[in-house]
Amino acid sequence: MLLLLAALASADESTMSYDVYLAGKDVGDRTVTVRFLQRDDGERRVLSVVTKAAAPIGEVSCRQSGQSSPRGANFTTSLQVGADVSEVQGIQAPNGGWQLVRADKEGVHEASLKPTQVTFTTLDLFDPGRTRLLGGSGRVGVLVAETGAIVEGELAAGEATTVRVAGKSLAGTRYVVDGEGGHAEFVVDENGVLLSSLLSFFGGVMETRAKTVPEPRTFGTIDVVETPGSGTKEADL
């Protein structure tokens, strides 16, 4: 009990809100909550992401949860598009690969992905400790946590940029991925917090733009993972 209380006492929480756009039209919103827990083996981050949007193919409701630490990551996504409901669960294996289970109206599907197939997941974009996986350049594999699909492309080296959030100009780094699966852009600030994104999803171009300024942490620094091209994967994988 004392250990539990000590862990809770060393917790910090951050919440970000985003507008969601399809084809340039404001269609919904997204709320991201990250809880930081200090543990003996490093920091653990617990994510909750809720997205609601009105897409041409129907009302979209997506709830995601995940955890990450120096040892790896896992996530669960529940997605409803109109009357269709699906769920994807993913857990990072000790070797850096991923085990996936997807359940939808067609049944249950399982897949094992090699470490070389997945550079980062779309849920990593909301994790300040894992957005560093966008660093470097070259061929990448993006695991779409919403569907379990893999999108391959070329990641360009990050470029300095600014994003307007709540009337303030915030500095960030812009990353671009181009491939057969389409075009994607992500802007994160110096602390690894996502400020904006653009990618092909839900039948068109989906954009998200932060509408709240990232909150400062109240303790410590964020434990980050190694970036592609550095010669290593995550610290303890």
Side-chain angles (χ1 to χ4, degrees), residues 24 34 39 42-43 45 52 58 67-68 78 110 113 129 132 135 138-139 152 159 196 201 203 209-210 216-217 221 226:
V34 182
R39 300 293 172 86
E43 180 180 81
R45 293 171 296 278
K52 293 185 179 296
Q67 295 187 40
S68 69
S78 296
E110 298 185 19
L113 302 175
R132 303 309 199 278
R139 196 72 177 173
E152 295 184 345
E159 297 181 346
S196 68
F201 202 53
R209 306 172 193 168
R217 282 172 62 91
T221 58
E226 297 293 334

Side-chain angles (χ1 to χ4, degrees), residues 164-216:
R164 198 76 177 169
V165 179
K168 297 183 178 180
S169 183
L170 303 183
T173 302
R174 176 175 173 266
Y175 300 95
V176 177
V177 177
D178 276 309
E180 295 180 0
H183 176 85
E185 300 179 14
F186 314 104
V187 178
V188 299
D189 71 5
E190 63 179 356
N191 294 314
V193 177
L194 183 71
L195 299 178
S196 68
S197 67
L198 180 152
L199 66 160
S200 297
F201 202 53
F202 295 145
V205 177
M206 179 179 178
E207 297 179 70
T208 61
R209 306 172 193 168
K211 55 183 178 180
T212 53
V213 176
E215 304 167 355

Side-chain angles (χ1 to χ4, degrees), residues 5-208:
L5 291 175
L8 293 176
S10 298
D12 192 10
E13 186 173 287
S14 174
T15 300
M16 288 286 293
S17 297
Y18 300 84
D19 287 317
V20 177
Y21 297 84
L22 283 177
K25 180 181 179 181
D26 190 347
V27 296
D29 57 71
R30 169 178 288 156
T31 301
V32 178
T33 301
V34 182
R35 186 171 177 78
F36 303 89
L37 303 175
Q38 295 286 25
R39 300 293 172 86
D40 291 340
D41 61 347
E43 180 180 81
R44 176 180 298 175
R45 293 171 296 278
V46 181
L47 282 72
S48 172
V49 182
V50 178
T51 305
K52 293 185 179 296
I57 54 178
E59 293 293 321
V60 176
S61 177
C62 184
R63 295 181 178 274
Q64 298 172 282
S65 60
Q67 295 187 40
S68 69
S69 72
R71 296 184 180 278
N74 63 73
F75 68 83
T76 298
T77 296
S78 296
L79 175 64
Q80 181 171 356
V81 182
D84 293 334
V85 178
S86 62
E87 181 171 291
V88 179
Q89 295 182 345
I91 182 168
Q92 198 168 30
N95 68 351
W98 284 83
Q99 297 293 324
L100 294 182
V101 177
R102 174 184 167 85
D104 55 29
K105 61 183 180 181
E106 303 297 331
V108 177
H109 321 274
E110 298 185 19
S112 297
L113 302 175
K114 299 177 181 179
T116 54
Q117 291 179 275
V118 180
T119 309
F120 58 90
T121 77
T122 51
L123 198 63
D124 287 336
L125 299 172
F126 308 115
D127 186 336
R130 290 177 68 86
T131 50
R132 303 309 199 278
L133 292 169
L134 289 167
S137 60
R139 196 72 177 173
V140 296
V142 183
L143 171 56
V144 182
E146 292 79 5
T147 65
I150 297 290
V151 177
E152 295 184 345
E154 293 290 329
L155 173 65
E159 297 181 346
T161 187
T162 58
V163 176
R164 198 76 177 169
V165 179
K168 297 183 178 180
S169 183
L170 303 183
T173 302
R174 176 175 173 266
Y175 300 95
V176 177
V177 177
D178 276 309
E180 295 180 0
H183 176 85
E185 300 179 14
F186 314 104
V187 178
V188 299
D189 71 5
E190 63 179 356
N191 294 314
V193 177
L194 183 71
L195 299 178
S196 68
S197 67
L198 180 152
L199 66 160
S200 297
F201 202 53
F202 295 145
V205 177
M206 179 179 178
E207 297 179 70
T208 61

